[in-house]
Amino acid sequence: MSAALEPEVGAATAEEPATGSRAWRFVRRNPTIVVGGLILALVLGAALAAPLLAPIDPLEINVLVRLQGPSAEHPFGTDHLGRDIWSRTVHGGKVSLLVGASVAVISSALGLFIGLVAGYITIVDRIVMRIMDGLMSIPSILLAIALMALAGSSIGNVIFAITVSEVPRVTRLVRGIVLSVREEPFIEAAVASGTRTFWIIVRHILPMTVAPLIVQATYVSAAAIISEAYLSFLGAGTPPEVPSWGNVVAEGRDFFPIAPWLILVPSAFLAMTVLAVNMLGDGLRDTLDPRIARRM
Amino acid sequence: MLTYVIRRLISTIPVLVVVALFVFLLLHLGPGDPAAIIAGDFATPEHIAQIRAKLGLDRPLHVQFFEWAGRLVQGDLGVSIFSNVPVATLIHQRLEPTLTMTVTTILFAVAVAIPSGVIAAWRRGRLADRVVMVLAVTGFSLPVFVLGYVLIYLLSIKAGMFPVQGYVPLKEGVWACLRSLALPSMSLGLVLVALIARMTRASMVEVLNQDYIRTARAKGLAPSPILIIHALKNAGIPIVTTVGLAVAVLIGGVVVTESVFAIPGIGRLTVEAILQKDYPVIQGVILVFSFVYVLVNLLIDMSYGLFDPRIRYDG
């Protein structure tokens, strides 16, 4: 309004409120992305700054202060070996985030490649999808447990085991998109104008998979963080000498009635992180592609 | 109908074969000599040779597979390395706690999730809908053991309402058994509640937007509970499909829940087998759970006709 009356002032000032309100509008429209992203940024920051935030060595054993409740020196108490729970929790976040991110990236890349090939080459499709159906019939935690029992505990093996159980879901998603996009008129036009298959896949089909793939990768990383915690909790995950949230909870089990903080503190961090990733996923899904159904 | 059932049964065979092949190959895919891995770090060469002979690992791979598969078809899952008891017997001994727990969990989940999902769809955009959806995301994000320990802390240790851990067999009284399963079922069931409630809401919203519902409302019919129930039947197929797929989540959760609550079921058997590297037991458990999962989803496929009589199984 005032801009119309005073164009020389309006031109200068109208810019700022516009960008400000655009950012605010994004926050208002996508509260889940913002809240999820903020929590995740906090957890990531805490994990990266772990030596600063928790200067006590998470592996340092001090039997004199075993099973102590929260105090000034140990804000979340100590475990049965006198190790600092705050320290172990903050350092444990690194494992969860590393596993979550790695599994999401590797399984998306593998699933994308296999899905694109299967969607285009019928003979590959028949064989690959049979294998994927079989893999998907094995409940994913059991599949990961079996792989871990053989491979031995290490963070690399945890990432591998969880990736194997997540790849079929990504593959199925990508293949589904390829099969439906292939029938679109613009692909027919590209074929008719003589575009080579490789370029059709790269230029026209690949871009259609990006949005759903990002959403799926977010959910995959949430599932991977939970799987890592389960594997470590069951004694088939991250090696016991590395603090991870699942390990800390597993070690606190026997002392839970007298020292509940042993389990409640890492659990709270775990639940909050997974919740943040899932909120981010829901928000991205609603923004990027409302049609994707939530995966199982 | 019968031809459809037979066709569906036949179509599951390739899936089951892939599962069996994969479970068989598990032992051979890993790095190094499986016999040495099973024997552990401090095994003598004789011990390793003994395990190799016992598992038949000294023969060619295809011979091993066909012998193993041949026994599998007859229901022989092999023998535990650790206890020398047949794996089928071990699973049978541990079946009751796991079976009762999964049944109570599914009943709990369905009883909570479907009404919540229906209410959320009915009041969509309002407070009730928001509350249900926030709870659903939270439930989906809470690892089973987190909820399990919080419930033990609040309801068992603080309030003394439930036993802290352990399982009371059915034959010692149905009520005592259910009491011992209350907390495990709640912790295990919350993920299912979240999944099923979300799908119920989505499916109901879809049905409530259909023309015939709009016509009914235009004629002056209030969105009464009766109307909601009629709509629910039409929204049924995606919901039961979700229940079927959620069985995979349930099975994974069983292993963790039984560890949290010290329930001597198949999940505990699995964890003990991992720690002892008792590979025939791990293979047996995976096979049984996967077959159950495939079977449940087959049955659910066949139930579609109950919800929508237009679905016919001939042709």
Side-chain angles (χ1 to χ4, degrees):
Chain A
M1 282 283 235
S2 62
L5 292 173
E6 299 165 301
E8 67 282 351
V9 183
T13 53
E15 280 293 79
E16 280 206 26
T19 51
S21 71
R22 198 175 299 151
W24 176 237
R25 206 163 61 215
F26 181 80
V27 173
R28 286 233 339 238
R29 285 217 183 135
N30 306 289
T32 49
I33 296 187
V34 175
V35 175
L38 276 180
I39 297 176
L40 203 60
L42 275 180
V43 177
L44 183 67
L48 291 176
L52 293 174
L53 288 173
I56 302 175
D57 183 351
L59 302 177
E60 187 187 286
I61 293 173
N62 185 356
V63 197
L64 290 175
V65 294
R66 65 196 293 267
L67 292 176
Q68 282 191 348
S71 64
E73 200 188 341
H74 302 287
F76 288 109
T78 57
D79 71 0
H80 61 293
L81 298 173
R83 292 175 297 193
D84 182 55
I85 289 299
W86 165 243
S87 224
R88 292 178 71 69
T89 305
V90 170
H91 283 269
K94 284 188 281 192
V95 176
S96 290
L97 294 177
L98 177 69
V99 170
S102 312
V103 171
V105 170
I106 302 172
S107 57
S108 301
L110 282 176
L112 178 64
F113 178 73
I114 303 173
L116 284 177
V117 174
Y120 244 88
I121 307 171
T122 319
I123 182 91
V124 176
D125 189 48
R126 292 238 176 98
I127 299 166
V128 165
M129 291 325 284
R130 282 273 176 279
I131 297 173
M132 295 298 166
D133 283 349
L135 279 181
M136 280 174 75
S137 312
I138 305 175
S140 53
I141 289 290
L142 284 183
L143 182 58
I145 283 176
L147 292 169
M148 286 306 295
L150 253 191
S153 48
S154 78
I155 295 177
N157 286 343
V158 169
I159 294 172
F160 163 74
I162 302 173
T163 302
V164 171
S165 56
E166 293 293 341
V167 165
R169 293 182 179 80
V170 184
T171 305
R172 220 187 215 193
L173 175 80
V174 174
R175 170 186 177 264
I177 296 168
V178 175
L179 290 183
S180 68
V181 172
R182 270 182 74 168
E183 307 301 321
E184 298 278 339
F186 70 90
I187 299 291
E188 215 174 312
V191 174
S193 66
T195 316
R196 285 177 39 209
T197 310
F198 177 78
W199 287 114
I200 290 180
I201 294 178
V202 172
R203 288 250 179 83
H204 301 291
I205 293 182
L206 193 62
M208 303 294 280
T209 63
V210 172
L213 205 59
I214 290 173
V215 175
Q216 180 76 356
T218 318
Y219 290 138
V220 164
S221 71
I225 292 173
I226 292 189
S227 295
E228 187 278 329
Y230 283 171
L231 288 174
S232 299
F233 176 75
L234 296 172
T238 307
E241 64 272 16
V242 179
S244 84
W245 290 335
N247 277 344
V248 179
V249 171
E251 285 167 10
R253 268 152 75 177
D254 296 339
F255 309 96
F256 180 62
I258 49 167
W261 59 86
L262 292 183
I263 282 180
L264 298 181
V265 174
S267 291
F269 272 75
L270 174 60
M272 208 172 61
T273 307
V274 177
L275 181 62
V277 179
N278 274 329
M279 283 170 73
L280 199 62
D282 282 357
L284 287 173
R285 179 198 54 194
D286 296 342
T287 325
L288 292 176
D289 187 352
R291 284 165 307 168
I292 317 167
R294 188 179 170 88
R295 79 165 204 131
M296 290 303 305
Chain B
M1 181 71 191
L2 188 66
T3 49
Y4 174 78
V5 171
I6 292 169
R7 224 178 34 229
R8 275 300 270 119
L9 276 174
I10 291 172
S11 73
T12 61
I13 290 175
V15 174
L16 296 181
V17 168
V18 171
V19 172
L21 191 64
F22 186 81
V23 168
F24 170 78
L25 284 175
L26 262 181
L27 202 53
H28 303 272
L29 286 173
D33 179 1
I37 293 170
I38 290 167
D41 295 339
F42 306 105
T44 58
E46 295 85 66
H47 188 204
I48 294 176
Q50 201 186 331
I51 287 176
R52 190 175 294 131
K54 189 170 163 184
L55 293 177
L57 294 171
D58 42 2
R59 281 168 299 166
L61 206 57
H62 63 277
V63 177
Q64 286 182 46
F65 177 71
F66 284 111
E67 277 196 8
W68 179 80
R71 287 199 306 265
L72 189 64
V73 172
Q74 299 165 31
D76 179 358
L77 295 168
V79 175
S80 158
I81 298 170
F82 193 75
S83 61
N84 256 326
V85 176
V87 175
T89 312
L90 283 174
I91 291 177
H92 184 74
Q93 285 169 353
R94 304 291 194 98
L95 191 61
E96 191 207 291
T98 304
L99 204 61
T100 46
M101 185 172 76
T102 32
V103 170
T104 53
T105 304
I106 292 180
L107 291 179
F108 163 76
V110 168
V112 176
I114 291 187
S116 326
V118 167
I119 290 170
W122 185 18
R123 314 284 298 167
R124 96 178 149 274
R126 313 267 187 87
L127 185 67
D129 181 24
R130 297 269 168 80
V131 170
V132 169
M133 284 303 101
V134 167
L135 287 180
V137 189
T138 314
F140 193 73
S141 307
L142 274 184
V144 169
F145 61 71
V146 173
L147 188 63
Y149 283 116
V150 170
L151 287 177
I152 291 179
Y153 184 68
L154 293 178
L155 299 182
S156 299
I157 297 178
K158 289 280 173 194
M161 286 162 62
F162 295 99
V164 174
Q165 279 180 326
Y167 172 73
V168 180
L170 262 180
K171 64 173 186 290
E172 285 175 31
V174 176
W175 179 242
C177 174
L178 288 179
R179 226 171 86 91
S180 74
L181 288 175
L183 296 189
S185 301
M186 278 193 247
S187 354
L188 182 55
L190 193 70
V191 187
L192 303 197
V193 170
L195 286 169
I196 300 168
R198 279 176 88 126
M199 187 46 88
T200 305
R201 177 184 178 277
S203 186
M204 279 295 285
V205 166
E206 181 118 8
V207 171
L208 291 176
N209 281 336
Q210 299 273 317
D211 288 345
Y212 63 89
I213 298 281
R214 204 190 308 142
T215 309
R217 294 188 69 165
K219 279 168 62 184
L221 233 65
S224 65
I226 298 163
L227 186 69
I228 294 289
I229 288 167
H230 280 291
L232 183 61
K233 194 188 169 196
N234 287 300
I237 288 178
I239 301 173
V240 286
T241 308
T242 305
V243 175
L245 296 173
V247 169
V249 181
L250 182 69
I251 290 171
V254 160
V255 182
V256 179
T257 312
E258 290 186 357
S259 288
V260 173
F261 290 93
I263 294 171
I266 299 176
R268 283 301 297 163
L269 180 69
T270 317
V271 177
E272 287 157 21
I274 301 167
L275 299 178
Q276 295 159 351
K277 305 255 179 208
D278 198 341
Y279 237 76
V281 176
I282 300 179
Q283 287 177 310
V285 170
I286 295 178
L287 278 173
V288 169
F289 272 144
S290 307
F291 281 28
V292 167
Y293 177 51
V294 172
L295 194 73
V296 166
N297 282 289
L298 183 68
L299 290 175
I300 282 178
D301 263 19
M302 291 176 184
S303 76
Y304 288 166
L306 298 176
F307 294 95
D308 188 348
R310 285 171 303 182
I311 297 177
R312 295 224 188 88
Y313 295 106
D314 40 55

